[in-house]
Amino acid sequence: GGGGGGGGGGGGGSDDGSQGAQSEGSGGGGSRSVKRKMHFSVAAVAEAAVDEPSGGGGDGGDGDGGGSFASGSGSPPRRPGATLGATSAFAAFSTPLRGAMTPARTGAGARGAPPEPLPKRFVREPATGGVRPAGDATACNSLRIFFAKVMRLSARRLADLCERLQLPPSLTQQAYALVEHSLYEHTSLLFNRHLDQLLLCAVYGICKINKDNGLRGRMVPFRDIIYHYQKQPQCREEVFWTVILSQTDPALQVQSQGDIILFYNKVFVPEIKTFLLGLKPPRTTPLAGDSGGGVGGIVGR
């Protein structure tokens, strides 16, 4: 009798179909576990938790309590107030608990208001004084993981390209630092563009500023970089022939396009010129007739 009462108390909050296990007492005091098929729905449990009164959420043992629902129906019907739009693709994955715990996002314009422009850079570190920037912490962590994966991919492709170009390791490290600065501090360069376009420009810019020291006067034109880039398996001609030069913000509608050289001169260099010149090593033995070695100006294609 005692074993049967314990089994009934353990199954008070669910029906026969949703009860996981029940203990049945025998005359000898032994017990055995009888497993039954579970019918579990996250949406149903969340709905039941919201509908449950604040004072009587413990048992829910009777059939008409807020926590009970038919075992055969995968999810109970939603309340009229919690119904999402029929066109929402996330309607099947949204629950009242998720909506209640998720704070309202700031910065989203109201209906009819013009959309806000996209951010120009991705903030990696907290602001001065240890105060984290405003925003969803989950979204920020997801972006950090995404950018870390992008940088690992960039490192592999840069190492292969610089090895094919026979560049010294110091120039490879500078190219990686330039790509990292571009992605984090000038994230808008990646909007609607291919990652390899930034890699090609970074390699050319590093070779341009190191032609006197690291390369000992050797010129590395864009045509050589593209030639070796075409040996990589992910290469596509559209990467260096069709590059977006200007686009709207935030709709990202293309306004003008060009090749990789135009993108380097008109978009890439104006964005990262200060950082790129900071990577230029001090010149100890000036060459006669040298005009200064800027970062722009395509000599050979």
Side-chain angles (χ1 to χ4, degrees):
S14 60
D15 293 345
D16 294 338
S18 61
Q19 185 177 358
Q22 182 180 3
S23 300
E24 296 180 0
S26 61
S31 64
R32 61 190 181 92
S33 178
V34 179
K35 294 185 178 181
R36 300 182 179 181
K37 186 177 180 181
M38 297 183 66
H39 296 272
F40 183 75
S41 172
V42 175
V45 174
E47 186 77 19
V50 173
D51 290 342
E52 189 174 31
S54 57
D59 296 332
D62 39 50
D64 20 350
S68 61
F69 52 92
S71 59
S73 60
S75 177
R78 294 185 178 273
R79 296 172 313 208
T83 303
L84 296 177
T87 58
S88 175
F90 299 94
F93 305 97
S94 300
T95 64
L97 282 182
R98 175 61 182 169
M101 293 187 298
T102 306
R105 294 181 181 271
T106 58
R111 292 185 177 180
E116 296 184 359
L118 297 173
K120 299 298 181 182
R121 58 188 292 265
F122 173 70
V123 181
R124 286 186 293 176
E125 303 296 335
T128 306
V131 180
R132 289 187 171 273
D136 193 339
T138 304
C140 292
N141 292 334
S142 300
L143 283 176
R144 288 190 179 92
I145 296 174
F146 168 76
F147 275 91
K149 292 183 178 181
V150 171
M151 289 309 305
R152 284 196 292 269
L153 178 63
S154 302
R156 291 196 296 266
R157 294 183 178 180
L158 277 177
D160 177 77
L161 183 59
C162 293
E163 183 179 0
R164 294 178 186 272
L165 291 168
Q166 299 181 355
L167 302 181
S170 59
L171 269 67
T172 305
Q173 295 177 0
Q174 290 184 4
Y176 179 85
L178 181 57
V179 172
E180 184 181 27
H181 175 80
S182 302
L183 289 180
Y184 285 105
E185 303 298 332
H186 303 275
T187 315
S188 58
L189 288 174
L190 198 58
F191 292 167
N192 217 10
R193 297 188 179 99
H194 200 286
L195 173 64
D196 291 352
Q197 295 169 350
L198 270 66
L199 303 184
L200 295 175
C201 292
V203 171
Y204 180 81
I206 292 300
C207 294
K208 184 78 173 177
I209 64 175
N210 287 278
K211 65 178 181 179
D212 297 331
N213 292 330
L215 295 177
R216 302 178 182 273
R218 170 191 166 197
M219 295 293 299
V220 182
F222 242 126
R223 64 168 176 263
D224 290 352
I225 298 175
I226 294 177
Y227 171 76
H228 290 287
Y229 167 71
Q230 289 176 326
K231 299 178 182 180
Q232 293 187 349
Q234 83 284 352
C235 171
R236 294 185 305 170
E237 291 187 356
E238 293 82 3
V239 171
F240 48 85
W241 285 122
T242 308
V243 188
I244 296 176
L245 302 180
S246 61
Q247 54 190 340
T248 60
D249 186 11
L252 297 181
Q253 295 181 354
V254 179
Q255 294 177 328
S256 62
Q257 294 178 334
D259 58 13
I260 189 67
I261 298 177
L262 289 177
F263 171 73
Y264 175 85
N265 288 327
K266 295 184 177 181
V267 181
F268 187 78
V269 169
E271 286 282 342
I272 50 84
K273 184 175 182 180
T274 303
F275 183 83
L276 181 59
L277 290 177
L279 296 175
K280 183 178 181 180
R283 185 171 51 186
T284 56
T285 55
L287 299 178
D290 190 5
S291 58
V295 297
I298 304 301
V299 178
R301 300 194 177 197

